[in-house]
Amino acid sequence: MIVTIAFIIIISIVFSYIYLIYSFYKGLKNTKSFNPNQESELSQLTCIIPFRNEQDNLKQVINCLINQKLNSEYYEVILIDDYSTDNSYNLAQQLINKHSNFRLIQNQSLGKKSAIKLGVENALSPYIVTTDADCIHHPNWLYTISKYISIYKSDLIIAPVVLSPVKTFLDYFQHLDFLSLVSSGAGACEIKKPIMCNGANLVYTKELYTKSIPHVLNKYSSGDDIFLLQYAKSIKAKITFLRNQDTIVKTEPVETLNGLIRQRVRWASKSKGYSDKYTILVAWEIFLVNIISVLIPFTYFITPSLFYTSCILFLSKIYIDYKLLHTGAKILNTSFKTNTFLLIQLIYPVYITYIVLYAMIGKVRWKNRNIITENN
C-alpha cells in the first residue's frame, strides 16, 4: 500500500512538472523578436539605479548609460546612493558632473526598495527603467526600450538578463541557474501567466508603481521586482516580454560558492510573501520535484521497481529541462554546453533543496542587513 501511494505521488508530481516546463518551453518558442521601427515615436524614460558600496562598478555602468544611442533629451538617469560606506557617492558625483540628464540623490531611508521609491518620486518621465550598478548595457538598450514602449504601451515590460563572463564551473552553474529563471519567466509571460522578472532589466509605468507601493513595500527587503509583478498581474495590467539582443543586460556571476548560496537564499526568502497563486504553485512544484530527485537513490531500498520508475521519470525531467534551457540559450545568444548541463543536473536537486530549506529556517543577511525586517 505504501509503495503504491509512493508511485502515485512521484508520478503525479513529475508529470505535473513536465507539463509545466513544457508550457514554458512552448511559450518561449512563440516569443517574437522585436525590431525597432524607425518611423515609430520615441518615449521618455527615467532610468533608476540604486547602489550601495559599488565604487568598483559605477564607472562601467555610468559610461554605459552616457554612451546610449538614445538622444539625451529622451532619457534621464537617477542614481540613488543607499548609504554607501566607500567612495561610491563621490565617484558617482564626479562621473556625472558634466551630464545634465544625470542626477545623484541620497536615499532618505534604508534599503533598495526605499531607494527605488525615492527615484520614482523624483522621475520626470512616465516610464521607469530599473537596473543595477553591476550591470553592462548595450548602446541601443534604452533606444530599443523607448521604441518598444511607443508601439506596445505595456504597463510592465520584462527584459532579459544573462551572466557574463562565464569562466569557471561555478560560473557555468550560476549561468544555467539564471538561464532557467529567464527562460521560464519569458515563456510564462508569453502564455499570459507571468511568474518571474528581474529588477536589473525591468520597465514599468510610474502610475503602476505608485499604485503598487502598499504591496511592494512590505517586510521583505528584497523583491522590489517580483512583488510589483504580482501586483500588476492581480489588476490585469498589460505585461509583456521584450525579446531583442540589444536589450539583454549582462551581470557578473558571484565569485564564491558561499556568496552564491547567500544570494539565492535572499531570493528564495521572499517567496513566503508571494500572493499570486500560480507563482506559489510553480514554486512548490519545482521544490517537490527536486526533493523527489534527491530521494531517488533511497527508493531502491523500498523496492527496485520504484527506483527504476523514479530514474525514468528523472531522465524525463532532464529532457524537458534541456529543451527549455537549450531554446533559451539560442534566443539569448548565450553559451550552452550539453555535457556540463547533464553534470549539473545531478547536483542541482541537492542545491535547490538546500537553498529552500535554508531560506525557510535560517536568518539571512545581505550587505550587513537583514533580509526580512519588521518595518520599512
Side-chain angles (χ1 to χ4, degrees):
M1 182 66 178
I2 295 176
V3 174
T4 302
I5 294 173
F7 263 111
I8 293 172
I9 291 173
I10 291 172
I11 291 172
S12 299
I13 291 174
V14 176
F15 268 83
S16 297
Y17 176 86
I18 291 171
Y19 174 79
L20 178 73
I21 302 303
Y22 181 75
S23 68
F24 294 162
Y25 161 71
K26 291 293 288 184
L28 183 63
K29 283 195 70 174
N30 289 334
T31 59
K32 299 291 188 296
S33 182
F34 171 71
N35 295 310
N37 185 347
Q38 296 295 328
E39 297 179 357
S40 62
E41 297 179 356
L42 290 167
S43 299
Q44 297 282 344
L45 304 172
T46 295
C47 180
I48 293 175
I49 308 177
F51 67 90
R52 182 169 185 263
N53 296 340
E54 295 284 358
Q55 63 180 14
D56 295 334
N57 296 312
L58 280 172
K59 184 174 182 180
Q60 177 178 261
V61 71
I62 289 174
N63 283 339
C64 281
L65 294 173
I66 289 173
N67 294 321
Q68 289 294 301
K69 296 295 178 64
L70 182 63
N71 192 297
S72 61
E73 67 182 86
Y74 285 100
Y75 78 99
E76 63 170 345
V77 177
I78 301 179
L79 297 147
I80 306 101
D81 176 43
D82 185 23
Y83 295 93
S84 295
T85 55
D86 61 6
N87 195 44
S88 293
Y89 185 89
N90 293 332
L91 178 60
Q93 200 168 41
Q94 178 185 345
L95 291 169
I96 70 172
N97 188 42
K98 297 179 181 179
H99 302 278
S100 59
N101 62 324
F102 281 68
R103 284 185 280 161
L104 173 63
I105 56 180
Q106 176 71 57
N107 195 8
Q108 296 174 358
S109 186
L110 289 176
K112 184 179 180 181
K113 286 184 177 181
S114 63
I116 291 174
K117 178 176 179 288
L118 182 62
V120 173
E121 289 171 347
N122 282 271
L124 301 177
S125 308
Y127 273 89
I128 307 297
V129 183
T130 61
T131 191
D132 294 332
D134 58 353
C135 291
I136 300 174
H137 309 82
H138 191 279
N140 287 330
W141 179 55
L142 290 179
Y143 173 82
T144 307
I145 290 174
S146 180
K147 287 284 187 176
Y148 185 89
I149 288 171
S150 69
I151 294 172
Y152 290 96
K153 296 179 173 56
S154 304
D155 298 301
L156 188 145
I157 302 165
I158 301 169
V161 181
V162 299
L163 294 188
S164 178
V166 176
K167 299 177 181 178
T168 67
F169 179 78
L170 181 62
D171 292 346
Y172 205 82
F173 184 91
Q174 295 175 67
H175 166 67
L176 286 186
D177 188 23
F178 220 81
L179 181 61
S180 69
L181 297 175
V182 175
S183 301
S184 299
C189 188
E190 186 66 23
I191 62 173
K192 309 301 181 187
K193 295 180 178 180
I195 57 169
M196 188 68 60
C197 61
N198 193 317
N201 199 9
L202 192 62
V203 187
Y204 45 83
T205 64
K206 187 173 181 178
E207 180 182 6
L208 173 67
Y209 178 84
T210 302
K211 291 179 179 178
S212 76
I213 287 176
H215 303 268
V216 172
L217 297 185
N218 50 30
K219 68 178 182 178
Y220 299 92
S221 61
S222 65
D224 52 280
D225 43 16
I226 192 69
F227 291 123
L228 174 62
L229 172 64
Q230 292 191 6
Y231 172 75
K233 189 176 177 181
S234 72
I235 64 168
K236 302 187 185 308
K238 184 177 181 180
I239 305 169
T240 56
F241 174 75
L242 172 50
R243 175 182 166 183
N244 180 283
Q245 292 297 312
D246 293 348
T247 60
I248 297 174
V249 166
K250 297 179 180 179
T251 187
E252 292 187 359
V254 178
E255 294 181 355
T256 66
L257 178 59
N258 182 54
L260 171 62
I261 290 172
R262 287 191 298 110
Q263 183 192 65
R264 296 307 197 260
V265 168
R266 175 171 63 95
W267 292 357
S269 64
K270 62 180 177 284
S271 63
K272 290 178 280 189
Y274 288 177
S275 58
D276 179 61
K277 292 180 180 178
Y278 183 73
T279 303
I280 295 171
L281 176 65
V282 170
W284 271 106
E285 185 66 55
I286 293 171
F287 177 54
L288 290 174
V289 84
N290 278 285
I291 283 185
I292 288 173
S293 300
V294 170
L295 296 176
I296 284 175
F298 302 99
T299 61
Y300 185 82
F301 300 101
I302 300 175
T303 171
S305 61
L306 181 59
F307 171 74
Y308 294 129
T309 301
S310 300
C311 287
I312 293 171
L313 291 171
F314 182 61
L315 291 174
S316 301
K317 171 195 175 297
I318 291 176
Y319 176 73
I320 195 63
D321 286 343
Y322 171 85
K323 295 288 287 182
L324 177 69
L325 269 65
H326 188 257
T327 302
K330 280 186 175 181
I331 288 175
L332 298 176
N333 193 28
T334 191
S335 171
F336 187 87
K337 301 174 184 177
T338 301
N339 290 340
T340 310
F341 163 78
L342 292 174
L343 175 59
I344 288 174
Q345 285 293 298
L346 300 177
I347 305 170
Y348 198 75
V350 177
Y351 160 78
I352 284 293
T353 302
Y354 177 77
I355 292 295
V356 173
L357 293 178
Y358 190 169
M360 290 172 64
I361 64 178
K363 187 173 183 179
V364 188
R365 289 175 65 83
W366 184 256
K367 291 190 175 183
N368 297 316
R369 292 175 179 171
N370 291 331
I371 295 302
I372 301 177
T373 58
E374 293 304 319
N375 299 300
N376 292 280

